[in-house]
Amino acid sequence: MSEFNLLDEQWIRVMTEEYKTEEISLSQALLHADRYIGLRGELEAQNTAILRMMLGLLYDVFSEVDGDGTPAPFEDPDDAQDRWEELWNRGSFPEEPLEEYFRKYHDRFWLFDEKFPFYQVPDAKIGTHNLAAKLIGSIGESNNKVRMFAERGGEHKEKLSFSEAARWLLYINGFDDTAAKPKGKGLPSPGAGWLGKLGLIEALGSNLFETLMLNLVFLRPDGELWDQTDRKAGKCAAWELAVPRSAERVQIPQPTHFGQLMTLQSRRILLEREGDSVIGYWLLGGDFFERENALCEPMTLWRVTEDKGRKTITPRRHNPARQIWREFGSITETAAGNERPGVVAWTSRLVHDHSLSENAQIRFRIVSVQYGDKDFFVTDEYADTIAMYSSILTEAGNAWRRRIEDDIVRCDQCAKLVYGLSIRLQKAAGASGDLTGAAATQRFYAMIDPLFRRWLMNLDPKNCTTDYEQELFEEVEQTAFRLGRDLVREAGPAAVHGRIVKEKMPGGAQEKENFYWAPGEEVTFRAGIRKICNGGALNEQSR
């Protein structure tokens, strides 16, 4: 039953330098990470789940030994950063420490081991049974409802190869919905899988090795060492446990060990095999912990709230309608009251201490799984990427970070004018309500999206001046003007003739007659856009 070992078998999908996808083993992915561009699974969320598993393994290796395999546990934060710099400068992971770890834990990576099946527990067989189609994250088909227009059908969703099932195993553990019912009585609700609760963000390098290293956060977000004191108490990667955790729906303390956090078992799972295929799985709720102030998590955006003087920080899920650059303040901690994601703070520390060049281009990717009512089912998945000079994250980039955030506000103000123009054109044409305003706003953001990304990617704090900033808004202005003309044309002849509309005054006590006509609305719109793009403030307009 244990003939598929993840250290040896081909199951991790990667992109090669020739931009081809191939499957390799876990050991090959780590030992030759510098040879691959990155992970290339079926979904970006699946890539993130696999990435975190790999990070947990790397941490448990290199927090204990140096690049030569000599025992050297971290004693202080400087040790951790020196170790990181040593590995980074090598350009690839040293073989001997990893090979030694693989030999030590080889028996824990059998996918179908009777006692220690990888990322599974035999006791999960009492849990909710699902068919293979539910395991496939891109389908997520329940037992009693066929997914319409699914990308796969027939045997392709009823039977999975061991390699694909292994990938989805990690995905389900991190992103599972809340559909499974408890088997025990009076148990708490763990909610969605831990990764599904987050506004995930990860750093990207030019190859898989660099991506792993940039997310290998050797220090907690507060700059202190992760807890290394007692692996027997569960402060280790999941496969290192002497006895796999099997109890259903267990609330645990917030993890203090990086490997434990990266391999958190949000679900108890057991794959069901038939011959050389996986045809289903059993599932129970697993470990979960309080989201509030869980600053141990380095790979999420945060929401900060205050109530009666009490400050609370919780993970903030992504809004799929917002491009990643519009979250710049949340990523870099520029916006007032924000908390910087741990992986961004770690990158900033590396640049500040010259472990990472300030001239390097750094990329961050957000990954999100969207859920339906009460996280009961998955509705969508998306990812987005932003690039910038790493020096923007340091003290030298402070002024530019504030200016970038102000520039995003100016773009938002332009979007408000686009929204207002669309609404007034509807009134001029005889319509009412918000029939096109939201869509027009999204069109505007889509049009300026490549402009802002390119501008930010090329913004070098050491060499750019205010002229570079103005170049952006000259393009934004012309883009807004083009969209305004399109909206006027789309409003039709009725809007050109105009219409008088009776509207309530602020306060609702009196009515006022307002005349809306497309030519006049476009003139007002263009004047407002020009003012914003030349550094003026937007005055709230009411008519």
Side-chain angles (χ1 to χ4, degrees):
M1 289 291 288
S2 50
E3 65 272 19
F4 190 91
N5 190 287
L6 284 82
L7 287 173
D8 308 321
E9 305 295 334
Q10 298 175 341
W11 69 282
I12 292 181
R13 286 166 55 98
V14 295
M15 179 185 287
T16 68
E17 293 178 352
E18 294 77 25
Y19 294 98
K20 297 179 180 178
T21 299
E22 67 178 48
E23 289 188 359
I24 59 177
S25 66
L26 174 57
S27 58
Q28 185 179 356
L30 292 171
L31 290 171
H32 305 299
D34 57 308
R35 302 180 187 177
Y36 304 108
I37 294 175
L39 297 173
R40 186 67 178 273
E42 284 81 359
L43 293 177
E44 290 291 359
Q46 183 196 87
N47 293 337
T48 298
I50 295 173
L51 176 73
R52 287 173 68 101
M53 180 275 295
M54 297 170 75
L55 292 172
L57 188 154
L58 289 170
Y59 181 86
D60 277 6
V61 173
F62 293 109
S63 62
E64 296 291 337
V65 301
D66 63 18
D68 296 323
T70 304
F74 297 151
E75 295 183 359
D76 57 47
D78 288 341
D79 285 347
Q81 190 159 336
D82 290 344
R83 182 74 46 79
W84 189 95
E85 188 171 352
E86 175 196 0
L87 294 172
W88 178 263
N89 289 335
R90 283 175 174 263
S92 62
F93 294 115
E95 291 189 12
E96 183 53 37
L98 285 173
E99 292 284 9
E100 176 60 30
Y101 189 86
F102 297 157
R103 286 191 290 269
K104 182 177 180 181
Y105 289 105
H106 188 271
D107 65 319
R108 298 301 181 89
F109 286 86
W110 294 107
L111 192 61
F112 299 107
D113 188 77
E114 294 183 359
K115 187 176 181 182
F116 296 107
F118 180 77
Y119 253 60
Q120 304 162 74
V121 289
D123 291 349
K125 202 163 187 177
I126 67 168
T128 301
H129 182 264
N130 295 289
L131 300 177
K134 176 70 172 177
L135 184 63
I136 303 171
S138 55
I139 299 179
E141 182 177 293
S142 65
N143 293 345
N144 55 10
K145 189 174 183 181
V146 176
R147 177 78 71 178
M148 298 296 292
F149 309 113
E151 62 181 31
R152 296 160 69 160
E155 189 173 287
H156 294 293
K157 69 176 181 180
E158 295 170 356
K159 294 183 178 182
L160 300 179
S161 66
F162 294 160
S163 59
E164 186 178 3
R167 295 192 293 273
W168 290 124
L169 169 66
L170 271 66
Y171 169 88
I172 289 294
N173 180 71
F175 293 98
D176 186 45
D177 56 36
T178 60
K181 294 179 171 57
K183 297 304 173 181
K185 294 183 178 180
L187 295 175
S189 172
W194 175 243
L195 302 189
K197 298 175 182 177
L198 306 180
L200 279 163
I201 180 169
E202 56 197 46
L204 295 177
S206 60
N207 56 40
L208 179 56
F209 167 77
E210 290 187 1
T211 296
L212 287 164
M213 286 298 301
L214 291 171
N215 293 283
L216 188 54
V217 182
F218 272 155
L219 298 176
R220 298 184 328 207
D222 62 5
E224 297 301 319
L225 291 174
W226 295 93
D227 190 355
Q228 296 283 105
T229 56
D230 191 0
R231 289 192 173 189
K232 292 182 180 180
K235 296 174 182 178
C236 58
W239 53 82
E240 291 190 12
L241 294 171
V243 179
R245 296 174 58 81
S246 59
E248 180 184 9
R249 301 193 176 208
V250 180
Q251 183 165 0
I252 63 173
Q254 292 178 358
T256 58
H257 182 277
F258 187 76
Q260 175 194 9
L261 176 61
M262 291 296 107
T263 62
L264 179 75
Q265 302 295 280
S266 291
R267 296 293 186 264
R268 316 292 188 213
I269 304 171
L270 182 64
L271 297 177
E272 180 186 16
R273 67 177 292 189
E274 182 181 87
D276 59 356
S277 301
V278 169
I279 61 171
Y281 67 102
W282 293 273
L283 180 141
L284 292 170
D287 296 333
F288 67 99
F289 54 89
E290 183 58 59
R291 291 187 304 159
E292 289 189 359
N293 302 318
L295 292 175
C296 58
E297 174 55 62
M299 297 173 70
T300 186
L301 271 60
W302 298 102
R303 173 180 287 109
V304 180
T305 57
E306 288 197 29
D307 183 26
K308 298 179 181 180
R310 181 175 178 267
K311 181 178 178 181
T312 302
I313 303 173
T314 53
R316 179 164 64 83
R317 284 172 165 172
H318 299 300
N319 178 354
R322 290 180 64 86
Q323 293 86 352
I324 185 174
W325 56 265
R326 294 169 62 191
E327 300 287 3
F328 180 85
S330 299
I331 293 172
T332 63
E333 202 182 13
T334 306
N338 273 12
E339 185 77 23
R340 183 182 291 196
V343 69
V344 179
W346 174 245
T347 303
S348 177
R349 179 188 179 109
L350 295 173
V351 177
H352 179 271
D353 294 342
H354 307 292
S355 297
L356 191 65
S357 171
E358 64 179 14
N359 295 320
Q361 278 277 333
I362 190 74
R363 291 182 297 150
F364 293 102
R365 176 168 57 203
I366 59 174
V367 179
S368 177
V369 169
Q370 304 292 306
Y371 297 87
D373 183 42
K374 298 180 181 179
D375 296 349
F376 199 69
F377 53 91
V378 172
T379 59
D380 201 2
E381 186 262 4
Y382 83 102
D384 197 1
T385 305
I386 192 173
M388 67 186 81
Y389 275 90
S390 55
S391 55
I392 289 178
L393 303 175
T394 66
E395 291 182 8
N398 281 347
W400 266 110
R401 286 204 304 276
R402 290 191 292 270
R403 289 170 67 172
I404 293 167
E405 185 67 11
D406 290 342
D407 292 339
I408 293 171
V409 171
R410 290 166 70 186
C411 290
D412 290 340
Q413 291 174 337
C414 290
K416 288 182 180 179
L417 290 186
V418 169
Y419 179 88
L421 172 64
S422 179
I423 295 297
R424 290 193 294 275
L425 289 174
Q426 288 179 57
K427 293 178 180 179
S432 61
D434 181 6
L435 301 179
T436 63
T441 302
Q442 290 305 313
R443 282 174 66 182
F444 172 72
Y445 280 122
M447 291 172 73
I448 68 170
D449 180 57
L451 304 178
F452 203 99
R453 290 177 190 271
R454 183 175 63 248
W455 177 81
L456 180 60
M457 181 175 64
N458 294 319
L459 196 163
D460 183 351
K462 295 180 296 183
N463 299 318
C464 289
T465 66
T466 54
D467 291 340
Y468 184 67
E469 191 173 23
Q470 191 54 35
E471 289 175 10
L472 168 67
F473 280 97
E474 288 174 0
E475 293 189 89
V476 171
E477 180 182 83
Q478 293 305 312
T479 300
F481 286 172
R482 288 197 302 273
L483 178 57
R485 286 195 298 271
D486 290 343
L487 293 176
V488 168
R489 184 173 61 252
E490 293 164 9
V496 175
H497 291 294
R499 189 178 300 270
I500 295 175
V501 180
K502 288 184 177 181
E503 297 176 303
K504 288 185 178 181
M505 297 285 287
Q510 298 178 327
E511 285 189 342
K512 178 183 177 182
E513 290 187 343
N514 290 317
F515 179 60
Y516 295 95
W517 68 303
E521 302 307 336
E522 185 179 8
V523 169
T524 302
F525 169 75
R526 289 171 67 93
I529 291 292
R530 186 175 292 111
K531 181 177 182 180
I532 293 169
C533 290
N534 284 277
L538 173 65
N539 295 320
E540 294 295 331
Q541 299 183 12
S542 60
R543 298 182 60 178

